[in-house]
Amino acid sequence: MKKIDFKKQLPKLVITILILFFVVGLAWGLRSVLELEGTMEPNISKASLSPVPETKEALISYVLTAVKKAEEEKPALAFSDAFQVDADSIRAGDVQSTAEYIRTGVEEKLGALRGDIVSEFGEDLSGKLWVPEITPGDIASAELKYDYWRCPACGRETDEKPEACEDCDTKAGFLQKYRDNYTITLHAPDTAEPAAAAFFARNFHPFTQTEIGQLIRENAQGWFECGSGYAVTYRNVAIRAVINRLTDQIVSLTYSADCDFSADAAFVGHYAALGTQPVGFIVNETAAFEFTWPGITVAETLELEPGQTDVLRAESPCGVLSKEELTWTTSDESIATVNEEGYVTATHQSGQCTVTVAFTFMGKEYTADCTVTVKVPAEEIEISHRKLTLPVGGTASLEAKVKPKKATIRTVKWYSEDESVAAVDQNGTITAKRAGAVGIYAVSDDGYFKATCHVEVVES
């Protein structure tokens, strides 16, 4: 029997073993990559401070209450009034171009009539803020908007639920999310109605006939004259309020309307041959009040691994804050400490604590909280079966494992994409209900990693 020369065969054996390890590792790696599904953030909405206003009466009351709160607490205020002439709306009798003489410079001159309004923190808003005077009878319709839709695949956000995502063509699974701000729009009738005209006069501070006449005379530049034959009708009248639903603080209050201007222009001088022409055009007015409330903000959450340090930055609309103006505290120093500059250091104990920053402005203390979580983070999730076939009425159990083993939070939640086909409880037990196909998936409570088992339910 020929004797094996181990010295010569050893290199070949090592190379073979290495190749074997490489192939197995590559296969395992490819399997792991193919099984990774990314993350799926749960659809959690912050609770509103007050009940959600749903009726027209409730929406009006909520807006009026928010404005009254601003009057009492005196946030900073800025006002702007913008005018835009709709070029397509220009009309004239026999000579269309005559209307151009009237509209030239209208946008700029109208804006100059109002002027800007600025109010600092703590200043009285009387005489500056247009305080709405509204009853339900004044409003034709009211609407509330604060939800939006997010594509589960690419994250694109849209105000209305799409049939398919414009970016990635995903057609299902859109998440309904909620903004922190309500947008409330109150639509009033056109001022052709006497009651509507009275509402407009109370709320929109329209220009007087004298102001309009002065504007026309200044704009005439010797081309035409207007007697009393001019008028303004207001259409698409709306009051829009943006209010933070978490604090009930108003963010903006906007008055908008399309002002349909018409006049009889008697041309003079070199243009006298044009005679008197009925002219008109539509000017959109948007009068906006922006409110800035005193306060302080900081990141709502901070995640640290044991022994790690990170910094929190506090910001305020009241100006740049120095470290001497801020006070930092922690609810549990056994989990994380914080110094006077906002540097947070995790201990070697897992858990949660609250870091609070505070400062005083105009005699009132303002605070903001950050929830600090100290943990070994989850990195992925594995599910015991990627495919299952069950008869109607059958059951099966799934197991989900969070990795690495040292991860602090290893719990998961179970979901079914269609509970009419198969349901799953929070122990991972599936119950088949009717024939069809459905995804049963687990989402880790830390990191929101997702793993899915595709289940086919068949008639028994």
Side-chain angles (χ1 to χ4, degrees), residues 56-311:
K56 180 173 72 172
E57 291 75 13
L59 289 168
I60 293 171
S61 176
Y62 187 71
V63 170
L64 296 179
T65 300
V67 173
K68 184 177 181 181
K69 179 182 178 70
E71 288 185 283
E72 293 173 349
E73 299 187 18
K74 303 178 178 64
L77 179 70
F79 170 79
S80 64
D81 204 10
F83 296 85
Q84 184 174 5
V85 176
D86 180 359
D88 294 333
S89 72
I90 298 172
R91 56 195 184 276
D94 297 329
V95 186
Q96 181 71 19
S97 61
T98 57
E100 293 291 341
Y101 295 114
I102 296 178
R103 95 174 180 107
T104 301
V106 163
E107 296 171 340
E108 191 173 320
K109 290 175 181 177
L110 282 171
L113 286 177
R114 294 266 196 235
D116 293 331
I117 297 174
V118 176
S119 181
E120 301 298 334
F121 292 111
E123 292 184 5
D124 189 0
L125 301 184
S126 301
K128 299 179 180 179
L129 175 63
W130 298 2
V131 178
E133 297 181 34
I134 312 171
T135 65
D138 294 322
I139 301 302
S141 64
E143 60 187 57
L144 168 66
K145 184 70 177 177
Y146 69 110
D147 63 336
Y148 63 99
W149 297 85
R150 178 182 292 170
C151 173
C154 70
R156 178 185 174 87
E157 296 178 356
T158 54
D159 285 339
E160 302 297 333
K161 185 178 181 180
E163 293 185 3
C165 177
E166 293 183 8
D167 288 347
C168 67
D169 202 38
T170 294
K171 293 181 172 60
F174 295 99
L175 299 175
Q176 187 177 23
K177 310 287 282 185
Y178 297 91
R179 295 186 173 91
D180 291 346
N181 291 338
Y182 290 140
T183 297
I184 298 172
T185 306
L186 308 176
H187 299 278
D190 297 342
T191 58
E193 302 177 23
F199 162 80
F200 187 88
R202 289 197 311 271
N203 290 279
F204 277 71
H205 298 224
F207 294 119
T208 65
Q209 291 287 336
T210 300
E211 289 172 322
I212 294 174
Q214 180 182 352
L215 174 65
I216 292 174
R217 284 191 296 275
E218 291 176 352
N219 217 45
Q221 300 181 26
W223 297 327
F224 60 86
E225 293 177 350
C226 284
S228 58
Y230 56 85
V232 181
T233 301
Y234 298 94
R235 299 188 175 92
N236 300 320
V237 179
I239 297 177
R240 180 175 292 106
V242 177
I243 302 172
N244 187 309
R245 65 184 181 87
L246 309 180
T247 63
D248 289 343
Q249 293 176 334
I250 189 166
V251 177
S252 66
L253 181 65
T254 304
Y255 297 79
S256 63
D258 290 334
C259 316
D260 193 346
F261 169 82
S262 60
D264 291 327
F267 286 83
V268 297
H270 294 295
Y271 305 96
L274 296 175
T276 299
Q277 298 284 345
V279 298
F281 51 83
I282 295 174
V283 182
N284 175 263
E285 178 181 9
T286 303
F289 294 87
E290 303 290 336
F291 302 82
T292 302
W293 294 79
I296 190 169
T297 58
V298 72
E300 294 182 356
T301 60
L302 177 64
E303 294 183 357
L304 297 174
E305 295 186 32
Q308 186 181 4
T309 296
D310 204 347
V311 64

